[in-house]
């Protein structure tokens, strides 16, 4: 009878150690995941902090239902993801209209015409470079436009 309680106690101690090891291991993995997520969040926020754009000029070609925006990267971060940038336009009597990026252009989209100067990192909008954007609108000529980068930084301007 004494040996049975000794074996039961030994098994209980082993089970307590296994459960404690599992709980500690899970806690460490969770802490590592949280730390990695926090690091990624800080990097995204830092990138956003250093991103800035300014619409410096615009022109309209009413015969082709197209307007052009000249946008300068006034921040310290290069802008790389044109496919994630969007343009919004609005007239006095309409809600904003969304224009996604399309390399070929076309109605209801925007595309880039040129980047000046573009000697370093071609086809990327580096700091102090300017991109000429072509927006093909439908319907009435827009009164207002907003350009938004992939990380949420934006600038807007009245077009009239």
């Amino acid at each position: 009878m004494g040996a049975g309680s000794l074996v039961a106690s030994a098994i209980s101690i082993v089970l307590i150690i296994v459960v404690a090891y599992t709980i500690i291991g899970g806690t460490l993995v969770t802490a590592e995941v949280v730390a990695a997520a926090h690091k990624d969040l800080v990097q995204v926020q830092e990138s956003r902090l250093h991103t800035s754009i300014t619409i410096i000029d615009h022109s309209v070609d009413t015969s082709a239902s197209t307007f052009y925006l000249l946008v300068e990267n006034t921040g310290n971060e290069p802008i790389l993801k044109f496919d994630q940038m969007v343009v919004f336009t609005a007239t006095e009597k309409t809600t904003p209209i969304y224009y996604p990026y399309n390399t070929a252009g076309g109605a209801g989209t925007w595309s880039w015409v040129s980047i000046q100067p573009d000697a370093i990192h071609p086809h990327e909008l580096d700091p102090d470079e300017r991109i000429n954007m072509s927006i093909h609108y439908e319907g009435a000529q827009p009164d207002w436009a907003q350009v938004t980068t992939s990380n949420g930084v934006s600038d807007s301007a009245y077009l009239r």
Side-chain angles (χ1 to χ4, degrees), residues 88-112:
F88 293 95
T89 65
T91 63
E92 187 176 314
K93 298 176 181 170
T94 63
T95 58
I97 299 170
Y98 165 83
Y99 292 87
Y101 174 73
N102 185 345
T103 55
T109 65
W110 77 269
S111 60
W112 64 273

Side-chain angles (χ1 to χ4, degrees), residues 134-149:
S134 170
I135 299 94
H136 301 280
Y137 63 90
E138 297 174 332
Q141 178 184 335
D143 297 321
W144 171 86
Q146 175 180 316
V147 177
T148 304
T149 65

Side-chain angles (χ1 to χ4, degrees), residues 11 30 48 76 90 93 98-99 104-105 132 155:
I11 291 174
T30 301
R48 188 165 194 243
N76 296 323
K93 298 176 181 170
Y98 165 83
Y99 292 87
N132 186 358
D155 190 32

Side-chain angles (χ1 to χ4, degrees), residues 22-36:
T22 304
I23 290 173
I24 291 171
T27 302
L28 291 176
V29 168
T30 301
E32 184 178 338
V33 167
V34 169

Side-chain angles (χ1 to χ4, degrees), residues 37-120:
H38 185 266
K39 178 183 172 189
D40 292 344
L41 176 65
V42 168
Q43 286 176 339
V44 167
Q45 292 297 338
E46 186 174 318
S47 170
R48 188 165 194 243
L49 181 67
H50 295 289
T51 302
S52 179
I53 59 171
T54 303
I55 298 173
I56 56 175
D57 197 13
H58 69 277
S59 61
V60 178
D61 181 359
T62 54
S63 64
S65 296
T66 303
F67 68 94
Y68 301 92
L69 294 176
L70 188 60
V71 179
E72 182 174 359
N73 181 352
T74 54
N76 296 323
E77 284 286 321
I79 298 172
L80 311 173
K81 300 175 182 174
F82 295 130
D83 62 331
Q84 294 178 5
M85 288 178 62
V86 295
V87 175
F88 293 95
T89 65
T91 63
E92 187 176 314
K93 298 176 181 170
T94 63
T95 58
I97 299 170
Y98 165 83
Y99 292 87
Y101 174 73
N102 185 345
T103 55
T109 65
W110 77 269
S111 60
W112 64 273
V113 177
S114 65
I115 297 175
Q116 296 294 329
D118 201 20
I120 310 239

